[in-house]
Structure formats: C-alpha cells, structure tokens
Amino acid sequence: MFTQALLTLSLASVVFSQSGPYGQCGGQAWTGPTICQPGWLCTPFNARYSQCLPASSTVLMSPTGTDSIKAAAPTDPPSTKVGRLPALGWNSWNAYRCDINEAKVIAAANQFVSLGLQAAGYQYINIDDCWSNKARDATTKRIVPDPTKFPNGISGLAAEVHALGLKIGIYSDAGTATCAGYPGSLGFESVDAMTWNEWGIDYLKYDNCNVPGNWSDSSTPPGGDWYNSNSAIRYRQMTAALVAQPQPIQYSICIWGNAHVWDWGGRVGHSWRMSGDSSPTWSYITSIINTNLAHLASIQFGAHNDMDMMEIGNGALTIQEQRTHFAAWVFLKSPILLGTDMSKLTAAQLAIIKNTELLGFHQDIAVGTPAAPFKAYSTAPTTSPPEYYSGTSSKGTHVFIINTSANTTTKHFTLSSVPGLGTSGNFRLHDMWTGTDISGTYEATSSFSVSVAAHDTAAYRITKV
Ligand code: GAL
C-alpha cells in the first residue's frame, strides 16, 4: 500500500515537474515547474516571466530580446556526478571528419577493448559532426539520426557501446546549425537534451558555429563578467537542459577560447576548448601548451582546459613529438580524446597512450591540479614553451622536461629547485615512461642530468627516501 502510494506520488511529481504548452516555467518568485514538455522550450521574456513556447519558434529571437533573456538565464552548475577527471576517450572528427557511420564507431569501441585501451582507462566513444539528417522532424522537432550512416539510430549504437562497458558521446552546436550545416541546438536545448537522454548519451560536445548576431559578443558584457556574455548564456541554456535529465551527461564546451571561456567554463561545463582545431604539427603542440599555461588557475576537479583532440597516429609527428603531445595533455590535465583510426596504431604509439604512470598522473583521484613550469637551476634560460614542469600526485612529486630544441640536448635540474621537495634529505627518482627507478639516491643539493632527444619529453616521479 505504502509503496504504491509512494510510486503514485513520484509519478505525479514527474508529470507535474514539466509545464504544459504555453505554461509558465520560470520567473522571480515562481515555484512551479521550470522544464517544458518535449518539443517546447522554456523561454524567458523578462526576469519575472518565462513561458513554454514551441521549440522551433524560439530560435530566432528578436535582437532586442537578448537583454531580458540574459537577465533570466539559467545558472545551473554542471553535474558533479561526471566530469570530475579529464575525459579519456576517442572522437571521430580527426580520423574521419564527416565520413562517419555506425561501423566505424563500433570498430573504435571494439578497438578500445581489444587494444587494452579500455583497461587503461579510456571510456568515451564520441561521435562528432555530421551524424544527423539536415532537417529536424517536422512534428516533434527532434534531431533525426541519418538512417544511412546509422541504420540502428544513435540509440541502437549507444546500446552496443554500453554493452562493451563504454560510454558514448554526441555532438551539437550552440547556434542554428553545426559547422558542417546540420541542425544546431540553439532554441532546442530541452528537446535535444531529452532526446539524447532517451538514447543513452553520456557526453555532449557543444560547438560554436552559425551563431545569430544577437547571440554573439562584440564587447565586454555589462558588469565585466563573461559568464553573462551572450556566448556563455547560450552554453548555460544547454547546461540547464542537461542537468534536468535523469542521467548525467558530461558537458564539453567547444568555443575555441572565445568569450574568455576559462573565466566561466567551470561554472557551465566540465571542459572547454581553448583554441581553433588541432593539427598534427609541432607548432600546434607548442602553441597550445603556451595557451594552457596562461590559464592554469582555471583547472581543478570538474573543470579542465581542453587542448583539443589527439593527433597521435595522424600526420608526420616524430615519435618523440607524439610522446610530448601525450605528456603535455597529461600533465596539464586536458581531456585526451584519441583522434585516429586505431587499427593503424603502432606498438610504439600504443605504448605512449597506454602508459600507466602518465595516465595515473592525469587521472589522479586525489590531486586535481596540473603541473606548472619551474626554474630548474639558477641560470636556466627562458624558452617558449617552458621546458621544465613540476606537479604533485598522490604518488609523489613529478618533473616533466620537454626538449623544445631540434637537437638532442642534456637537460638538468637541481632537486631543491623543484617546488615542494625542500632543501634537505635524500630522494629517489623514477622514470615514468619505463616504470623503473633510476639507480642511486640524490641529495637536495644534487643536480640530475639527462639527455633528451629533440622534441621529446622526459617524465619522473621523485620521492623522499
Ligand atoms: C569545429 C570543431 C571541431 C569539429 C568541427 C566539426 O568547430 O572545433 O573539433 O567538431 O567543428 O564541424
């Protein structure tokens, strides 16, 4: 009896937690439902009143409407159930661009298992742009998966990916269309978030193409907080739609470093892109390291600067450059989404991306801060990017050394120069790449030297003896 009464009550609250067509769904002092039925969007008119309107009618809001929407924009924080650690996964874009289909995504999921990547911690299989039809369903306004590319829909694919113990991500855009011209989610946030939840989606990458003028930013927003910029509000509307779903969805903001995203990204999503697209070049790697270093203070549990998807396996990066690519994403705690056809990875490349100790630093459950540059010895030269980094993990203190020059070079640091090691005692060094201890012990005043190949990165853990 009691159980049945409880069940009836909770069913009733689910029904009543959604406002009907044209019903009020928000405003100052409003205590009723703030979510609309599928296909309807809670649209703020002013700070006192929001109403459920057909989702399609709200895309092109009048330019003069922006201020009132801004005043009543949702402030929901991202889910704390997911996204605490930087994501580890794969994304279809760098490997296949728009040439995607179910077979390629399933192949990637199976490779996670067969190549030992799942066992190493890789979890997300993410679909990028070009997965849907060009038009929404005329009646429900839902985005429709392309039936040729995805004959079992995204829900069928999600079920297969989940059956392997993995998670699945989807892609959309905080504008009227994606970069490749497929439906965007601006004005359709609620219906899209509900649809993805029904399909079993675990992760959303949300892009920034085709933004109407009244939703863009040409100057600093009033009050100076970019959280209140038109750009941030477009992303905040999706946060609210995502957190209203019963299952948590990790939220990756793709805004290319626009609108001072590092100042508000952590209040809106779990990670945020800092730049335009990655390329398999040494210049991209060095430039995005510098970009991330300018915003290290924004990184903490649940909030990560995104240096963009991996290029290991693509282009003509040397194996040393690929090691630096991986190590830098690791020690700066960027999401790591592999971006290649994994069937073509060599043993050397697999050894890089499966390195247990580097992944351990990246995925440390007790320390959320990244490594940061330090002065390795009193006369150490300044380079761009810096060459010496130190950070802590639950296993000790770590030093990462990038050789930014095009020649093999001897690098060295004084142990007492490493922040946190102190000026006395004896220390043991451990090579994180090989998983072996360096022989002997070092005093705080000792200098440690190592020959590092061009563009390679050495990685050490240091513990007190
Ligand atoms: C870009 C984005 C890329 C990819 C592409 C798809 O804006 O930065 O990572 O998602 O759109 O069209």
Side-chain angles (χ1 to χ4, degrees):
M1 251 321 245
F2 182 64
T3 327
Q4 192 176 355
L6 265 183
L7 189 68
T8 316
L9 243 178
S10 65
L11 279 177
S13 64
V14 170
V15 172
F16 287 123
S17 65
Q18 293 183 350
S19 194
Y22 302 104
Q24 185 170 357
C25 55
Q28 276 162 14
W30 173 248
T31 55
T34 54
I35 299 293
C36 304
Q37 287 178 5
W40 296 76
L41 180 77
C42 187
T43 309
F45 284 101
N46 52 53
R48 290 172 306 284
Y49 187 71
S50 302
Q51 187 187 34
C52 290
L53 295 181
S56 56
S57 69
T58 57
V59 175
L60 297 170
M61 295 188 191
S62 74
T64 51
T66 308
D67 284 350
S68 58
I69 296 163
K70 202 183 293 184
T75 56
D76 306 63
S79 169
T80 53
K81 296 192 182 116
V82 289
R84 178 176 157 86
L85 302 175
L88 276 180
W90 176 87
N91 173 294
S92 56
W93 185 254
N94 285 353
Y96 301 121
R97 297 290 193 258
C98 277
D99 187 17
I100 49 166
N101 58 41
E102 177 177 302
K104 286 176 176 165
V105 178
I106 293 286
N110 283 323
Q111 281 146 1
F112 263 22
V113 179
S114 62
L115 297 174
L117 289 159
Q118 181 185 34
Y122 289 83
Q123 200 178 18
Y124 288 99
I125 295 289
N126 294 348
I127 304 165
D128 209 277
D129 205 349
C130 312
W131 57 269
S132 75
N133 282 348
K134 285 269 166 91
R136 287 174 178 271
D137 181 282
T139 314
T140 64
K141 304 298 175 201
R142 290 182 177 224
I143 307 186
V144 181
D146 180 326
T148 309
K149 291 175 181 166
F150 296 98
N152 295 299
I154 301 297
S155 61
L157 176 59
E160 280 204 59
V161 171
H162 287 157
L164 294 170
L166 298 167
K167 295 188 169 179
I168 185 161
I170 202 78
Y171 163 98
S172 190
D173 186 284
T176 55
T178 71
C179 303
Y182 294 82
S185 295
L186 183 64
F188 294 88
E189 292 87 353
S190 292
V191 65
D192 288 349
M194 278 183 220
T195 305
W196 297 325
N197 171 68
E198 280 177 25
W199 292 347
I201 291 296
D202 305 293
Y203 185 110
L204 170 68
K205 170 177 172 180
Y206 203 37
D207 214 337
N208 195 39
C209 279
N210 298 304
V211 177
N214 58 312
W215 280 105
S216 305
D217 294 287
S218 50
S219 56
T220 305
D225 185 353
W226 283 83
Y227 178 73
N228 294 319
S229 63
N230 293 326
S231 299
I233 288 170
R234 283 184 287 115
Y235 284 85
R236 283 162 55 185
Q237 286 174 323
M238 183 54 84
T239 314
L242 293 177
V243 298
Q245 304 312 312
Q247 291 299 320
I249 298 177
Q250 190 155 326
Y251 187 20
S252 149
I253 296 170
C254 179
I255 193 174
W256 319 310
N258 286 359
H260 298 239
V261 61
W262 24 79
D263 293 343
W264 52 267
R267 285 180 273 171
V268 176
H270 300 105
S271 65
W272 49 89
R273 279 274 299 280
M274 315 192 80
S275 70
D277 293 359
S278 59
S279 61
T281 57
W282 179 243
S283 61
Y284 178 79
I285 294 170
T286 51
S287 109
I288 195 70
I289 291 173
N290 280 328
T291 306
N292 200 345
L293 293 181
H295 303 286
L296 286 189
S298 305
I299 304 172
Q300 54 177 308
F301 285 128
H304 297 103
N305 288 328
D306 181 350
M307 297 160 83
D308 200 7
M309 300 168 298
M310 304 301 285
E311 296 286 8
I312 288 179
N314 304 333
L317 292 170
T318 66
I319 201 74
Q320 292 79 15
E321 289 167 344
Q322 294 176 66
R323 277 154 58 100
T324 295
H325 180 4
F326 183 72
W329 270 237
V330 158
F331 69 67
L332 298 178
K333 305 233 174 186
S334 170
I336 293 180
L337 297 172
L338 305 176
T340 200
D341 173 354
M342 291 179 285
S343 69
K344 303 211 170 92
L345 286 170
T346 64
Q349 289 167 329
L350 277 169
I352 294 172
I353 60 179
K354 285 166 63 176
N355 183 282
T356 317
E357 299 199 16
L358 277 97
L359 286 171
F361 184 91
H362 187 251
Q363 295 290 301
D364 197 305
I365 55 165
V367 181
T369 43
F374 75 99
K375 196 170 171 63
Y377 48 97
S378 57
T379 55
T382 305
T383 59
S384 176
E387 298 197 300
Y388 295 87
Y389 300 80
S390 72
T392 53
S393 77
S394 36
K395 294 221 158 77
T397 299
H398 299 256
V399 167
F400 302 90
I401 309 171
I402 304 177
N403 178 6
T404 59
S405 86
N407 304 303
T408 299
T409 313
T410 298
K411 299 289 171 195
H412 58 101
F413 62 92
T414 311
L415 272 80
S416 59
S417 300
V418 178
L421 284 190
T423 52
S424 62
N426 288 306
F427 301 89
R428 187 176 300 287
L429 268 77
H430 175 90
D431 184 327
M432 294 170 71
W433 283 117
T434 60
T436 53
D437 284 349
I438 310 283
S439 66
T441 57
Y442 290 81
E443 293 175 8
T445 50
S446 307
S447 179
F448 174 77
S449 296
V450 59
S451 172
V452 185
H455 298 175
D456 203 353
T457 292
Y460 299 102
R461 186 180 76 216
I462 307 175
T463 44
K464 208 159 192 166
V465 187

